[in-house]
DNA sequence: GTTCGTTTGTGATTGATTTCACAAGGAAAG
DNA sequence: CTTTCCTTGTGAAATCAATCACAAACGAAC
């Protein structure tokens, strides 16, 4: 089924369902109800059903959803039925934390290229990879058929790095630099801005007694 | 002005306005229009005006908003007119990246406590701090009057760490562990789940040709 | 095969957020 | 003082997202 338009938040909830389904499958359950999924995922049963119904009817009335089949379908919907090749730009503190984190591999994301512009970083061995010169990014992205980029450079370099990634054919970017990147239509951009997260906590703490 | 209810997304936009205002102030401009703010912030002028109007009338018709005054007001609204004391739990890869990142200090957030449960980590000197035993978290949080917690432990420990932070009086938590934490009402929780971000990119790349 | 208890799938409804559109305010120029 | 040109502030309208509520479907029990 090819749904008209799925909201960004609905897609994020699909990721949550997938985690909950993993837990249920591990626990040996063969079916789950929308209520079960909602309980562990932190939303309402109606929302679970609505989200899933956008992609077809997977459940049986009176019974619920078959765990392993639903897990497969959601995996497929999210595009996780295959592995993704990711390039990481910025071999700094955050870049290293991300690179040496194993969690992503388990979800199907392989970092197959690391880039930096610091001569002290270029040539370093990171796991089985070598940190590449940012100058070679076009060649390496094409050679390794990298599909997504993660930007963990300082703000000042972020836009130019994004431009290079896009020019090399990357279609999606996850940006950690606290700045707004401009990307052409058709390129997917997600920002992770930790300063905004902290500021939103500060706002909540500041206004909680007034609410 | 004490507005009835401000949406989470409106608060996040306030953070963006603050960044844009900083840039304008640095550039020596004394007034900005909602159009200017929208242009650099990536939203519409009407939304800028609506967001700001929730907190009062800061602008002059025909002229725009006074940059430095608006910056001060937004700073105040977000609760950034003071410094915040933050505790970091999990002295691992991501914890180190966050701890040694200077960007947060500039926004008013001081990490004044680091905790771990690994004997190999406890006692390590991190900057001018010493990594504390998680067992002492209650004492240290109270002594240092820590107000916010950042959780960067493995999933398995995240809930128990959250419970400890809350028991020690922390009112807001930023959680990086990819799991849903349960917190009592009155406690503010924000999650940063990088797996979900990557999966949302995978979804976009998978469905882009069909859109 | 009928009844009963359960749970899905979905149109209708409610609610929240964003955008529209314009009257009113203010500066500047003549 | 009057006209002109901008830009704000805000109700009204439109769009988008979440929730409700219920008929239809299914399994189990007898
Ligand atoms: N470290 C954190 O915890 C943290 C938290 C929030 C946001 N961020 C943001 O993430 C980004 C990276 O942070 P970090 O702490 O890892 O910084 P860092 O200085 O440790 O690393 C940045 C790396 O990018 C490289 N670089 C600079 N310009 C480049 C270019 N043009 N091409 C390729 N590589 C280039 C540098 O050589 C360096 O190795 C920054 O934008 C920062 O604001 C980091
Ligand atoms: N590293 C990354 O880039 C990355 C990316 C996405 C998500 N995460 C998440 O962030 C968390 C931390 O990741 P990491 O790579 O830094 O892991 P890590 O293993 O390097 O560090 C985790 C630290 O937490 C400590 N710890 C464990 N249990 C504890 C407890 N009960 N109390 C106090 N400290 C405890 C460990 O001793 C260790 O030092 C994990 O939940 C991970 O899933 C990390």
């Amino acid at each position: 089924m090819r749904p008209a338009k799925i909201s960004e938040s609905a897609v994020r909830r699909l990721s949550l369902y997938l985690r909950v389904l993993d837990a249920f499958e591990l626990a040996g359950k063969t079916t789950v109800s929308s209520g079960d999924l909602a309980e562990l995922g932190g939303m309402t049963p109606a929302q679970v059903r609505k989200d899933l119904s956008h992609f077809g009817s997977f459940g049986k009335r009176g019974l619920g959803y078959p765990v392993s089949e639903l897990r497969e379908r959601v995996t497929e919907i999210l595009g996780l039925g295959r592995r993704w090749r990711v390039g990481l730009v910025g071999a700094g503190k955050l870049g290293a934390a991300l690179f040496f984190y194993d969690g992503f591999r388990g979800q199907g994301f392989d970092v197959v290229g690391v880039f930096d512009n610091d001569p002290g970083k270029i040539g370093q061995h990171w796991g089985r990879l070598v940190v590449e010169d940012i100058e070679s990014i076009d060649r390496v992205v094409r050679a390794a058929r990298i599909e997504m980029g993660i930007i963990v450079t300082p703000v000042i370099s972020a836009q130019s790095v994004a431009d290079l990634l896009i020019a090399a054919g990357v279609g999606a970017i996850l940006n950690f630099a606290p700045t707004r990147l401009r990307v052409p239509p058709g390129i997917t951009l997600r920002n992770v801005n930790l300063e905004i997260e902290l500021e939103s906590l500060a706002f909540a703490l500041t206004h909680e007694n007034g609410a």
Side-chain angles (χ1 to χ4, degrees), chain A residues 33-108:
Chain A
S33 68
S34 56
D36 296 337
L37 281 170
E39 175 76 17
L40 273 83
M43 61 279 300
T44 65
Q47 183 152 68
V48 172
R49 293 199 298 276
K50 186 68 105 189
D51 285 341
L52 295 177
S53 77
H54 288 132
F55 300 95
S57 307
F58 310 125
K60 280 211 176 17
R61 298 176 184 211
L63 194 58
Y65 300 88
V67 172
S68 77
E69 189 193 317
L70 183 59
R71 206 181 61 84
E72 270 171 42
R73 286 294 291 121
V74 175
T75 298
E76 208 58 50
I77 290 165
L78 285 173
L80 304 176
R82 44 159 298 196
R83 302 200 68 79
W84 292 91
R85 288 178 294 279
V86 179
L88 184 71
V89 189
K93 293 184 288 290
L94 189 52
L98 294 172
F99 181 85
F100 292 104
Y101 176 61
D102 324 299
F104 299 142
R105 235 186 321 281
Q107 307 297 318

Side-chain angles (χ1 to χ4, degrees), chain A residues 136-153:
Chain A
S136 349
I137 192 169
D138 198 273
R139 181 176 55 72
V140 176
V141 163
R142 289 174 197 283
R145 300 200 314 288
I146 286 174
E147 298 149 299
M148 299 178 177
I150 300 181
I151 298 181
V152 272
T153 67

